[in-house]
Amino acid sequence: MVQIESGPPVPQADASRVDAAGLEQALRNAIEGEVRFDRVSRALYSTDASVYQIEPLGVVVARNREDIIKTVRLCNEYRCPLTLRGGGTSQAGQAVGSGVVLDTSKHVNRLVDVDVERRTARVEPGIVLDELNAQLKPHNLRFAPDISTASRATVGGMMANNSAGARSVLYGITLHHVLEQQVVFADGTVAHLRDLSPTELDAVSKENSIHGQACRVVRELAGKHAAEIEKRYPKLLRRVAGYNLNEFAKDQPFNLSRLIVGSEGTLAVVLEATVKLVPLPKAKAVMAIEFVSLLEALQAAPLILRHNPSAVEVMDKFILDHTKQNAELQRRRQTFITGDPGALLCVEFYADSAEDLPPRLQALEKDLRGHAYGYRYFHALDLAAQARIWSVREAGLGLSMAMKDDNKSLSFVEDTAVAPERLRDFIDRFLQIVHAHGTSAGVYAHASVGCLHVRPVVNLKTEAGVRTFESLATAVSDLVLEFGGALSGEHGDGLVRSPFMRKMFGPVLYDAFREIKRAFDPHGILNPGKIVDAPPLTSNLRYGTAYRSRSQETWFDYSAWGGMNGAVEMCSGLGACRKTLEGTMCPSYMATREEAHSTRGRANTLRLVMAGRLDEAGLGDEGVREVLDLCLECRACKAECPVGVDVARFKSEFLADYWTRHGTPLRARALGHVHELSRLASRMPGLANAVAGNGLVRAMNARLLGIHSARALPRWATHTLEAQWSASAARASAEKPASSSPIWLFNDTFTNYFHPEIGLAARDVMTAAGLSVDLARNVCCGRPLISQGLLKEARELAARNTKYLTSLLSGAPRGAPYETVPGAPEGTPRLVFLEPSCLSAIREDVPALLRGEEQRQALRVADACVSFEEFLTRPESGSLPLQAGPHRILLHGHCHQKSMGGLAPAKALLEQIPGATVTDLDAGCCGMAGSFGYAREHFEVSRQIGERRLLPAARGLKDSEVLVAAGTSCRQQVSDFTSKRALHPAELLRFLLS
């Protein structure tokens, strides 16, 4: 067969030849938004969720559509490459570029208009899918494509990628839902793209403009290459590779928006779009089916499709095993999975009535059993159970990356699609290729449409790994062609698949793509190197053979990751930390919408510092400190990030390093040693309170310690918990030798010195439950020292606490193993905590600070630790004699409580109150976060975080309602900003004892 050579490449703007200073100044003079050419901002935008990294020349955060238009015009004038970015979740490298990166997600994110009758909406490109659908929900409508990154992916990015999602078998892809677009072309001219009549098309085509030229070229190419289009475009729903030239060979109105969708920002910049909406389903049900193997599950998919599901999603054993490594996902998994399946299919049905669904599930199960497919069939008819199933499935992307060494499950051949009836054989061959390369892969996603995400494990830091990466990509492209499939089924081409476009579409259509690019973008400024004329596959890798990361002496134990650098590198950039509607991660991002304030932004900055790419000594300089400054150390990332990136711990390490080089400030020392200061002040509490409340002293605190003048310091109790407990007649009558008391109450700093009434309430409640409880000696858990980066002192305290608590729990001479306590069942927790942050410090941080035998001893102590709420919901804790309580209890979970999975026990405990309905506020972080909210520079962000949900809920409390919060910080935040009071669970239960 004769090979037809392709024509010349298209022009590409070169960032290295741009007058960066001139462009920066021109942008600052022209736009209302933010212009950032500093090194840290450029680093923050150098990666997305792909394997690539390109540092841009600068970043523009547009404030409005005029900013976008002016930025395009100036980039054209300066011949500077321009890359559009929303959530930065692109897995193929579409959202990174060497010129200006334009971020629309912070401000250009409105739902402009909704036409309920026509079921359409006008949206700006930066609006996040979940936020759009939340605003549409009151109208019983939604934007149909439902991608797993919906909590942070923008509609502009979805249009760029031509995204699809789990229910594309029912709704199709983004292309099918975009009606019109307002765009700005490369020269800064604006056009309204819509269906054109033949007369209108003729008129536009005569224009001497990019719009006119684009219409002429596209119409000509579609007619000229109709036969080649029919031959080369895969006959699949899930084909998003290349340009959508095939849409112009169909008998339908001419509409250039069909070409802009899926063009990855290479042809025009979208200012606004009119999209179709679909009704919300009236009823839903899900069946989770367990299989022995992945291939058996895929074999069953065509049979399942005959039952007309709305989605059929698969997860293989590789992905399922990783759910066990995330505490929250493990808890959810256990509600619908038993045993250890080789694969799981999640099958969803929609119906007009809930009564229609059980028969459909039963019919499917009967059919599967008849064909011997699967071995367990879990029916989820209630929405909560369905949500748990989908949350595990949607975490598949992150879970596939949850590997703690340099071998990572990578996104590069993960987006193939074939006909569903050929999927089983295709994946069989695919995995044979993977195994032939000496590696393995995780498999998940859309069995309904033949688009599975296969993510081979490769180490890109080695030459062998880079060769495997390239060889696997080439072999998979051959396999896709053999099966008549698509190399990209929803994630786009970007840097990782564009090198194969000539191979996939042939030289004739590839040259047509180039002509399209020239017509729209004569100077090659719009996201160059994507779709056509891409750089080599292995260029611009985030990790490569030249990548080096400095080893760092650390206080915490990162041995499971091979060091702190390995722990930081766990962040793959998928951006789950940019969600805003639910959960806790990341509170400061929810308030500011700044990439720097996301978990991803902080981890990326630290990674680049440790790799020597920001040229700082140690772990960083002022720019890096500013990136980490608004981390509230809430630990939500540890639980909610699919790979468990723990920025709170990284921040402590950074501060420890930073203080050694710059000196430890007075505020850090004072706040870190709050236990000692509280102990001294408690000797004269009246005087201490008077002094603390004095206007002059508050001014001094503001000046010396940076405490905001609107913050009131907590008041010292007249008598400490330790003193009141000892003096209590009830305590004296029940007093027993320490060795015979199996339950100890941890006497934390704030309960002892500020809120002893909570400790006494806890004692009374536990006694009413038939439990014998004693008070441990007041010690600091170490949380203040840790949060302030005083890790040398924190480690010393951790060692002392471990010895003390081991002795306390053993009921024997100091140092004896506490497992020998008479009458204490093995594994029974016996150290009860009222303050969640103290529990997380002893349970999680103390063991990580220690080494050797001390660490092993600390881990044994950690096993004995439990929250007050969790302890009282254990079967051995007995029942509480409670009166009827408030009609409604609003439960606000402390961040550390939620990160340890402690909210469910708290809710279960409160649900024991007769007549009460317990509502989880899901308010995220309160914004106080220990000492964070006291700082003058944090005050406004702290307030914004609280105003997201918690503070309005507190202000709206009715007489029949009560707000419950276990965290001292949370209760303080409510007190500072509202006239209401939040109760600790122990206080409410004590009040209701009969």
Side-chain angles (χ1 to χ4, degrees):
M1 185 168 108
V2 178
Q3 290 288 327
I4 302 175
E5 294 297 326
S6 288
V10 298
Q12 290 192 7
D14 183 355
S16 67
R17 303 178 67 178
V18 173
D19 174 8
L23 175 59
E24 178 183 2
Q25 190 58 52
L27 287 166
R28 292 188 187 280
N29 293 339
I31 72 170
E32 295 179 29
E34 300 153 63
V35 179
R36 304 171 182 172
F37 277 58
D38 62 281
R39 190 67 189 279
V40 172
S41 294
R42 290 157 55 196
L44 285 168
Y45 284 83
S46 66
T47 58
D48 51 12
S50 73
V51 297
Y52 295 102
Q53 177 171 306
I54 300 175
E55 186 174 287
L57 201 65
V59 177
V60 169
V61 181
R63 186 167 293 276
N64 49 48
R65 62 180 284 151
E66 290 304 314
D67 280 357
I68 297 175
I69 295 168
K70 291 173 182 177
T71 300
V72 174
R73 287 175 180 166
L74 284 170
C75 284
N76 186 55
E77 178 184 335
Y78 278 80
R79 297 293 186 264
C80 178
L82 176 65
T83 298
L84 268 291
R85 182 180 177 114
T89 60
S90 303
Q91 294 185 61
Q94 298 97 313
V96 293
S98 61
V100 167
V101 173
L102 178 59
D103 185 346
T104 62
S105 66
K106 185 175 180 180
H107 299 295
V108 193
N109 54 17
R110 295 179 302 147
L111 169 58
V112 179
D113 182 56
V114 181
D115 188 326
V116 176
E117 186 175 341
R118 293 183 60 227
R119 291 181 181 171
T120 64
R122 288 167 50 213
V123 300
E124 292 181 328
I127 192 167
V128 171
L129 178 58
D130 272 355
E131 295 176 18
L132 169 61
N133 284 334
Q135 295 179 64
L136 294 172
K137 188 175 181 179
H139 304 294
N140 201 39
L141 296 170
R142 62 170 291 175
F143 185 56
D146 55 341
I147 55 181
S148 63
T149 54
S151 63
R152 61 271 193 196
T154 62
V155 174
M158 294 175 67
M159 290 188 289
N161 281 2
N162 198 1
S163 299
R167 295 166 185 87
S168 61
V169 67
L170 184 65
Y171 293 126
I173 56 182
T174 298
L175 176 68
H176 303 138
H177 299 273
V178 177
L179 299 173
E180 302 177 10
Q181 291 176 328
Q182 293 182 33
V183 303
V184 54
F185 290 118
D187 63 352
T189 58
V190 176
H192 181 192
L193 307 183
R194 56 182 177 83
D195 285 353
L196 298 177
S197 68
T199 302
E200 289 173 319
L201 176 59
D202 287 341
V204 173
S205 297
K206 292 175 183 177
E207 293 178 2
N208 184 24
S209 63
I210 285 186
H211 190 190
Q213 178 174 288
C215 287
R216 291 194 300 273
V217 169
V218 171
R219 181 161 63 168
E220 177 186 342
L221 290 173
K224 178 181 177 182
H225 298 309
E228 193 73 4
I229 289 170
E230 174 66 21
K231 173 184 174 184
R232 301 298 301 226
Y233 274 77
K235 307 300 186 291
L236 299 170
L237 172 64
R238 299 294 286 270
R239 189 284 316 157
V240 303
Y243 290 128
N244 295 327
L245 186 58
N246 61 319
E247 289 294 313
F248 300 87
K250 296 178 181 179
D251 184 16
Q252 60 184 353
F254 188 98
N255 186 339
L256 274 185
S257 69
R258 296 192 181 97
L259 193 68
I260 302 304
V261 172
S263 65
E264 303 183 5
T266 63
L267 302 181
V269 175
V270 177
L271 299 170
E272 185 182 292
T274 301
V275 297
K276 290 196 298 186
L277 307 175
V278 299
L280 291 172
K282 295 178 180 178
K284 298 185 291 185
V286 174
M287 181 187 293
I289 311 163
E290 297 178 28
F291 293 85
V292 172
S293 70
L294 171 66
L295 295 181
E296 180 197 357
L298 300 182
Q299 186 73 38
L303 179 148
I304 294 171
L305 289 173
R306 294 202 291 267
H307 290 258
N308 300 313
S310 58
V312 184
E313 297 288 292
V314 69
M315 290 185 286
D316 74 345
K317 183 172 171 53
F318 181 96
I319 303 295
L320 291 171
D321 284 349
H322 278 88
T323 64
K324 302 174 185 177
Q325 298 179 17
N326 181 291
E328 180 58 30
L329 291 175
Q330 168 72 337
R331 283 188 286 272
R332 297 177 191 176
R333 165 198 167 105
Q334 290 172 341
T335 64
F336 65 93
I337 297 176
T338 61
D340 194 24
L344 185 81
L345 277 182
C346 303
V347 183
E348 182 186 66
F349 292 98
Y350 285 173
D352 290 332
S353 170
E355 290 74 23
D356 297 336
L357 291 167
R360 294 181 67 183
L361 294 180
Q362 292 159 11
L364 174 58
E365 180 176 341
K366 181 179 178 181
D367 207 358
L368 290 167
R369 289 184 183 277
H371 288 80
Y373 289 145
Y375 63 86
R376 186 173 184 270
Y377 316 86
F378 178 84
H379 296 206
L381 293 168
D382 66 281
L383 294 179
Q386 294 171 37
R388 286 191 292 270
I389 292 172
W390 286 123
S391 67
V392 173
R393 157 60 191 94
E394 288 166 1
L397 170 58
L399 293 171
S400 66
M401 298 176 172
M403 307 182 73
K404 294 183 177 180
D405 56 18
D406 287 339
N407 293 292
K408 301 291 184 186
S409 185
L410 299 180
S411 175
F412 68 105
V413 290
E414 87 298 341
D415 202 28
T416 60
V418 298
E421 60 270 17
R422 305 194 71 186
L423 183 59
R424 188 261 179 213
D425 293 340
F426 173 76
I427 293 299
D428 188 15
R429 290 275 303 281
F430 197 138
L431 293 178
Q432 288 178 33
I433 291 172
V434 171
H435 297 151
H437 281 79
T439 188
S440 59
V443 181
Y444 67 100
H446 320 300
S448 57
V449 287
C451 180
L452 293 196
H453 302 326
V454 184
R455 304 172 67 87
V457 176
V458 180
N459 181 358
L460 281 179
K461 293 181 180 179
T462 66
E463 289 186 15
V466 173
R467 287 196 300 270
T468 296
F469 173 81
E470 191 168 25
S471 176
L472 259 170
T474 302
V476 168
S477 68
D478 292 337
L479 182 69
V480 168
L481 275 175
E482 179 187 337
F483 274 75
L487 197 58
S488 180
E490 66 175 342
H491 293 162
D493 299 327
L495 295 168
V496 78
R497 280 176 283 275
S498 294
F500 297 99
M501 287 303 99
R502 181 190 283 110
K503 177 179 183 178
M504 301 308 297
F505 287 95
V508 172
L509 290 182
Y510 189 74
D511 273 353
F513 292 167
R514 280 174 159 172
E515 288 188 57
I516 290 170
K517 173 66 173 172
R518 288 190 195 95
F520 280 84
D521 186 15
H523 301 296
I525 70 163
L526 297 179
N527 213 12
K530 317 303 189 321
I531 300 182
V532 296
D533 298 301
L537 181 69
T538 57
S539 302
N540 305 306
L541 292 174
R542 184 188 307 190
Y543 304 107
T545 55
Y547 181 86
R548 297 291 183 273
S549 183
R550 292 193 293 263
S551 60
Q552 187 77 27
E553 288 294 324
T554 63
W555 295 97
F556 287 106
D557 182 5
Y558 300 97
S559 57
W561 298 270
M564 182 179 168
N565 50 352
V568 170
E569 289 167 9
M570 287 293 290
C571 177
S572 58
L574 63 93
C577 45
R578 288 172 59 99
K579 59 186 172 64
T580 59
L581 295 183
E582 62 181 9
T584 303
M585 178 181 69
C586 179
S588 50
Y589 175 79
M590 290 181 183
T592 68
R593 301 295 182 104
E594 283 284 351
E595 174 70 16
H597 302 150
S598 67
T599 300
R600 178 177 71 181
R602 292 167 180 137
N604 262 333
T605 302
L606 281 174
R607 177 181 62 80
L608 290 167
V609 169
M610 298 176 81
R613 299 196 181 184
L614 293 184
D615 302 322
E616 290 90 8
L619 275 183
D621 67 355
E622 287 302 315
V624 183
R625 189 190 64 79
E626 290 176 10
V627 167
L628 291 172
D629 183 53
L630 288 188
C631 169
L632 285 82
E633 300 178 67
C634 67
R635 307 300 291 273
C637 48
K638 181 179 181 294
E640 296 180 24
C641 170
V643 295
V645 172
D646 190 351
V647 172
R649 189 162 288 178
F650 301 159
K651 180 180 179 180
S652 296
E653 291 281 7
F654 168 81
L655 289 175
D657 176 81
Y658 187 85
W659 301 148
T660 61
R661 291 182 289 107
H662 297 279
T664 306
L666 176 62
R667 181 168 78 181
R669 292 195 182 279
L671 296 176
H673 290 277
V674 65
H675 176 259
E676 287 84 351
L677 294 176
S678 298
R679 178 171 52 81
L680 291 172
S682 71
R683 295 174 181 174
M684 293 182 289
L687 177 61
N689 289 327
V691 170
N694 180 272
L696 179 60
V697 173
R698 292 180 72 165
M700 289 178 59
N701 284 337
R703 181 177 181 84
L704 297 176
L705 302 180
I707 295 175
H708 196 280
S709 58
R711 290 289 191 186
L713 293 176
R715 293 182 62 81
W716 280 269
T718 305
H719 301 288
T720 67
L721 173 61
E722 208 158 32
Q724 293 187 60
W725 191 294
S726 298
S728 168
R731 163 69 179 85
S733 64
E735 190 170 359
K736 299 177 181 178
S739 61
S740 65
S741 177
I743 304 168
W744 293 90
L745 190 67
F746 186 87
N747 190 16
D748 63 86
T749 298
F750 273 81
T751 302
N752 189 54
Y753 295 113
F754 301 98
H755 301 291
E757 70 279 3
I758 294 175
L760 296 173
R763 179 201 61 192
D764 291 347
V765 170
M766 295 174 74
T767 301
L771 301 168
S772 175
V773 60
D774 208 341
L775 186 68
R777 188 179 74 215
N778 171 241
V779 296
C780 178
C781 64
R783 170 66 61 214
L785 292 170
I786 293 167
S787 66
Q788 295 300 321
L790 305 177
L791 296 186
K792 181 177 184 294
E793 294 162 85
R795 176 178 285 178
E796 294 169 353
L797 177 61
R800 293 197 303 272
N801 278 347
T802 297
K803 290 180 180 178
Y804 164 63
L805 294 174
T806 297
S807 174
L808 183 79
L809 290 163
S810 69
R814 185 178 296 272
Y818 69 79
E819 291 92 335
T820 60
V821 174
E826 185 176 354
T828 300
R830 289 174 291 104
L831 186 58
V832 178
F833 287 72
L834 296 170
E835 175 58 43
S837 61
C838 296
L839 175 59
S840 72
I842 299 296
R843 183 188 278 178
E844 299 177 336
D845 292 311
V846 165
L849 280 168
L850 301 176
R851 302 292 188 273
E853 180 54 35
E854 281 186 329
Q855 184 180 65
R856 288 187 287 273
Q857 200 172 54
L859 287 169
R860 291 195 293 270
V861 170
D863 287 341
C865 296
V866 68
S867 71
F868 170 78
E869 299 86 354
E870 185 179 352
F871 187 80
L872 286 178
T873 55
R874 297 175 67 91
E876 64 269 22
S877 296
S879 60
L880 288 170
L882 298 173
Q883 307 173 55
H887 174 70
R888 185 165 176 248
I889 299 172
L890 300 183
L891 174 61
H892 172 69
H894 185 284
C895 294
H896 293 183
Q897 181 182 24
K898 288 180 284 191
S899 75
M900 297 181 291
L903 195 60
K907 189 169 185 287
L909 176 61
L910 295 174
E911 285 173 341
Q912 295 179 19
I913 298 173
T917 298
V918 183
T919 301
D920 172 12
L921 280 178
D922 189 23
C925 180
C926 70
M928 178 60 93
S931 62
F932 177 89
Y934 283 100
R936 183 171 51 235
E937 68 272 21
H938 299 156
F939 180 80
E940 184 56 28
V941 170
S942 173
R943 185 194 62 78
Q944 289 177 27
I945 293 169
E947 293 290 357
R948 175 176 168 263
R949 201 167 290 164
L950 173 62
L951 298 178
R955 294 189 192 103
L957 279 175
K958 300 174 182 176
D959 291 341
S960 60
E961 298 175 335
V962 66
L963 176 61
V964 171
T968 300
S969 295
C970 312
R971 298 191 301 274
Q972 184 68 43
Q973 184 80 326
V974 170
S975 175
D976 281 356
F977 286 105
T978 77
S979 60
K980 302 301 174 77
R981 177 173 176 248
L983 300 176
H984 190 282
E987 293 180 285
L988 177 60
L989 293 172
R990 172 64 187 84
F991 180 76
L992 297 175
L993 286 177
S994 57

PDB file of all heavy atoms in Angstrom, residues 144-161:
ATOM      1  N   ALA A 144     -26.558  16.829  31.330  1.00  0.00           N
ATOM      2  CA  ALA A 144     -26.539  15.366  31.352  1.00  0.00           C
ATOM      3  C   ALA A 144     -25.167  14.718  31.533  1.00  0.00           C
ATOM      4  O   ALA A 144     -25.035  13.782  32.328  1.00  0.00           O
ATOM      5  CB  ALA A 144     -27.205  14.828  30.089  1.00  0.00           C
ATOM      6  N   PRO A 145     -24.108  15.118  30.815  1.00  0.00           N
ATOM      7  CA  PRO A 145     -22.838  14.409  30.982  1.00  0.00           C
ATOM      8  C   PRO A 145     -22.384  14.436  32.438  1.00  0.00           C
ATOM      9  O   PRO A 145     -22.294  15.509  33.048  1.00  0.00           O
ATOM     10  CB  PRO A 145     -21.870  15.184  30.080  1.00  0.00           C
ATOM     11  CG  PRO A 145     -22.758  15.816  29.054  1.00  0.00           C
ATOM     12  CD  PRO A 145     -24.018  16.169  29.777  1.00  0.00           C
ATOM     13  N   ASP A 146     -22.119  13.273  33.009  1.00  0.00           N
ATOM     14  CA  ASP A 146     -21.898  13.185  34.466  1.00  0.00           C
ATOM     15  C   ASP A 146     -20.573  12.497  34.756  1.00  0.00           C
ATOM     16  O   ASP A 146     -20.528  11.350  35.145  1.00  0.00           O
ATOM     17  CB  ASP A 146     -23.064  12.457  35.145  1.00  0.00           C
ATOM     18  CG  ASP A 146     -23.305  11.091  34.543  1.00  0.00           C
ATOM     19  OD1 ASP A 146     -22.849  10.847  33.417  1.00  0.00           O
ATOM     20  OD2 ASP A 146     -23.942  10.257  35.197  1.00  0.00           O
ATOM     21  N   ILE A 147     -19.535  13.231  34.586  1.00  0.00           N
ATOM     22  CA  ILE A 147     -18.190  12.684  34.739  1.00  0.00           C
ATOM     23  C   ILE A 147     -17.844  12.492  36.217  1.00  0.00           C
ATOM     24  O   ILE A 147     -18.419  13.137  37.090  1.00  0.00           O
ATOM     25  CB  ILE A 147     -17.162  13.608  34.050  1.00  0.00           C
ATOM     26  CG1 ILE A 147     -17.299  15.023  34.582  1.00  0.00           C
ATOM     27  CG2 ILE A 147     -17.372  13.578  32.555  1.00  0.00           C
ATOM     28  CD1 ILE A 147     -16.357  16.013  33.960  1.00  0.00           C
ATOM     29  N   SER A 148     -16.898  11.618  36.490  1.00  0.00           N
ATOM     30  CA  SER A 148     -16.543  11.309  37.879  1.00  0.00           C
ATOM     31  C   SER A 148     -15.857  12.473  38.569  1.00  0.00           C
ATOM     32  O   SER A 148     -15.806  12.535  39.796  1.00  0.00           O
ATOM     33  CB  SER A 148     -15.651  10.066  37.935  1.00  0.00           C
ATOM     34  OG  SER A 148     -14.427  10.289  37.262  1.00  0.00           O
ATOM     35  N   THR A 149     -15.314  13.418  37.793  1.00  0.00           N
ATOM     36  CA  THR A 149     -14.673  14.606  38.374  1.00  0.00           C
ATOM     37  C   THR A 149     -15.639  15.780  38.436  1.00  0.00           C
ATOM     38  O   THR A 149     -15.222  16.944  38.457  1.00  0.00           O
ATOM     39  CB  THR A 149     -13.434  15.000  37.547  1.00  0.00           C
ATOM     40  OG1 THR A 149     -13.813  15.153  36.171  1.00  0.00           O
ATOM     41  CG2 THR A 149     -12.344  13.948  37.646  1.00  0.00           C
ATOM     42  N   ALA A 150     -16.951  15.497  38.498  1.00  0.00           N
ATOM     43  CA  ALA A 150     -17.977  16.543  38.440  1.00  0.00           C
ATOM     44  C   ALA A 150     -17.852  17.562  39.551  1.00  0.00           C
ATOM     45  O   ALA A 150     -18.313  18.694  39.406  1.00  0.00           O
ATOM     46  CB  ALA A 150     -19.363  15.910  38.490  1.00  0.00           C
ATOM     47  N   SER A 151     -17.230  17.210  40.660  1.00  0.00           N
ATOM     48  CA  SER A 151     -17.131  18.134  41.787  1.00  0.00           C
ATOM     49  C   SER A 151     -16.135  19.257  41.536  1.00  0.00           C
ATOM     50  O   SER A 151     -16.111  20.244  42.276  1.00  0.00           O
ATOM     51  CB  SER A 151     -16.722  17.376  43.052  1.00  0.00           C
ATOM     52  OG  SER A 151     -15.432  16.808  42.906  1.00  0.00           O
ATOM     53  N   ARG A 152     -15.323  19.148  40.494  1.00  0.00           N
ATOM     54  CA  ARG A 152     -14.329  20.203  40.239  1.00  0.00           C
ATOM     55  C   ARG A 152     -14.116  20.493  38.749  1.00  0.00           C
ATOM     56  O   ARG A 152     -13.516  21.490  38.389  1.00  0.00           O
ATOM     57  CB  ARG A 152     -12.989  19.873  40.881  1.00  0.00           C
ATOM     58  CG  ARG A 152     -12.316  18.594  40.388  1.00  0.00           C
ATOM     59  CD  ARG A 152     -12.721  17.398  41.166  1.00  0.00           C
ATOM     60  NE  ARG A 152     -11.862  16.231  40.916  1.00  0.00           N
ATOM     61  CZ  ARG A 152     -12.200  15.000  41.254  1.00  0.00           C
ATOM     62  NH1 ARG A 152     -13.367  14.761  41.840  1.00  0.00           N
ATOM     63  NH2 ARG A 152     -11.383  13.993  41.033  1.00  0.00           N
ATOM     64  N   ALA A 153     -14.610  19.636  37.847  1.00  0.00           N
ATOM     65  CA  ALA A 153     -14.441  19.866  36.416  1.00  0.00           C
ATOM     66  C   ALA A 153     -15.398  20.957  35.945  1.00  0.00           C
ATOM     67  O   ALA A 153     -16.568  20.980  36.312  1.00  0.00           O
ATOM     68  CB  ALA A 153     -14.699  18.585  35.643  1.00  0.00           C
ATOM     69  N   THR A 154     -14.905  21.861  35.108  1.00  0.00           N
ATOM     70  CA  THR A 154     -15.736  22.945  34.604  1.00  0.00           C
ATOM     71  C   THR A 154     -16.396  22.537  33.294  1.00  0.00           C
ATOM     72  O   THR A 154     -15.893  21.691  32.552  1.00  0.00           O
ATOM     73  CB  THR A 154     -14.904  24.212  34.368  1.00  0.00           C
ATOM     74  OG1 THR A 154     -13.899  23.931  33.375  1.00  0.00           O
ATOM     75  CG2 THR A 154     -14.231  24.673  35.653  1.00  0.00           C
ATOM     76  N   VAL A 155     -17.509  23.188  32.994  1.00  0.00           N
ATOM     77  CA  VAL A 155     -18.218  22.892  31.743  1.00  0.00           C
ATOM     78  C   VAL A 155     -17.361  23.301  30.551  1.00  0.00           C
ATOM     79  O   VAL A 155     -17.385  22.647  29.502  1.00  0.00           O
ATOM     80  CB  VAL A 155     -19.588  23.595  31.727  1.00  0.00           C
ATOM     81  CG1 VAL A 155     -20.275  23.430  30.371  1.00  0.00           C
ATOM     82  CG2 VAL A 155     -20.474  23.026  32.829  1.00  0.00           C
ATOM     83  N   GLY A 156     -16.571  24.362  30.704  1.00  0.00           N
ATOM     84  CA  GLY A 156     -15.655  24.727  29.628  1.00  0.00           C
ATOM     85  C   GLY A 156     -14.667  23.619  29.329  1.00  0.00           C
ATOM     86  O   GLY A 156     -14.389  23.310  28.163  1.00  0.00           O
ATOM     87  N   GLY A 157     -14.119  23.013  30.376  1.00  0.00           N
ATOM     88  CA  GLY A 157     -13.217  21.888  30.179  1.00  0.00           C
ATOM     89  C   GLY A 157     -13.922  20.684  29.585  1.00  0.00           C
ATOM     90  O   GLY A 157     -13.354  19.954  28.764  1.00  0.00           O
ATOM     91  N   MET A 158     -15.169  20.474  29.981  1.00  0.00           N
ATOM     92  CA  MET A 158     -15.942  19.362  29.419  1.00  0.00           C
ATOM     93  C   MET A 158     -16.188  19.563  27.931  1.00  0.00           C
ATOM     94  O   MET A 158     -16.132  18.609  27.140  1.00  0.00           O
ATOM     95  CB  MET A 158     -17.269  19.225  30.161  1.00  0.00           C
ATOM     96  CG  MET A 158     -17.134  18.808  31.608  1.00  0.00           C
ATOM     97  SD  MET A 158     -18.724  18.790  32.467  1.00  0.00           S
ATOM     98  CE  MET A 158     -19.546  17.425  31.629  1.00  0.00           C
ATOM     99  N   MET A 159     -16.453  20.802  27.536  1.00  0.00           N
ATOM    100  CA  MET A 159     -16.613  21.079  26.109  1.00  0.00           C
ATOM    101  C   MET A 159     -15.290  20.888  25.376  1.00  0.00           C
ATOM    102  O   MET A 159     -15.261  20.356  24.258  1.00  0.00           O
ATOM    103  CB  MET A 159     -17.151  22.496  25.912  1.00  0.00           C
ATOM    104  CG  MET A 159     -18.595  22.663  26.352  1.00  0.00           C
ATOM    105  SD  MET A 159     -19.333  24.254  25.919  1.00  0.00           S
ATOM    106  CE  MET A 159     -18.473  25.352  27.045  1.00  0.00           C
ATOM    107  N   ALA A 160     -14.207  21.315  25.984  1.00  0.00           N
ATOM    108  CA  ALA A 160     -12.905  21.160  25.339  1.00  0.00           C
ATOM    109  C   ALA A 160     -12.564  19.698  25.106  1.00  0.00           C
ATOM    110  O   ALA A 160     -12.035  19.325  24.061  1.00  0.00           O
ATOM    111  CB  ALA A 160     -11.830  21.826  26.198  1.00  0.00           C
ATOM    112  N   ASN A 161     -12.883  18.842  26.083  1.00  0.00           N
ATOM    113  CA  ASN A 161     -12.560  17.415  25.987  1.00  0.00           C
ATOM    114  C   ASN A 161     -13.646  16.606  25.298  1.00  0.00           C
ATOM    115  O   ASN A 161     -13.420  15.450  24.970  1.00  0.00           O
ATOM    116  CB  ASN A 161     -12.366  16.826  27.391  1.00  0.00           C
ATOM    117  CG  ASN A 161     -11.011  17.133  27.978  1.00  0.00           C
ATOM    118  OD1 ASN A 161     -10.206  17.828  27.369  1.00  0.00           O
ATOM    119  ND2 ASN A 161     -10.762  16.625  29.157  1.00  0.00           N
TER     120      ASN A 161
END
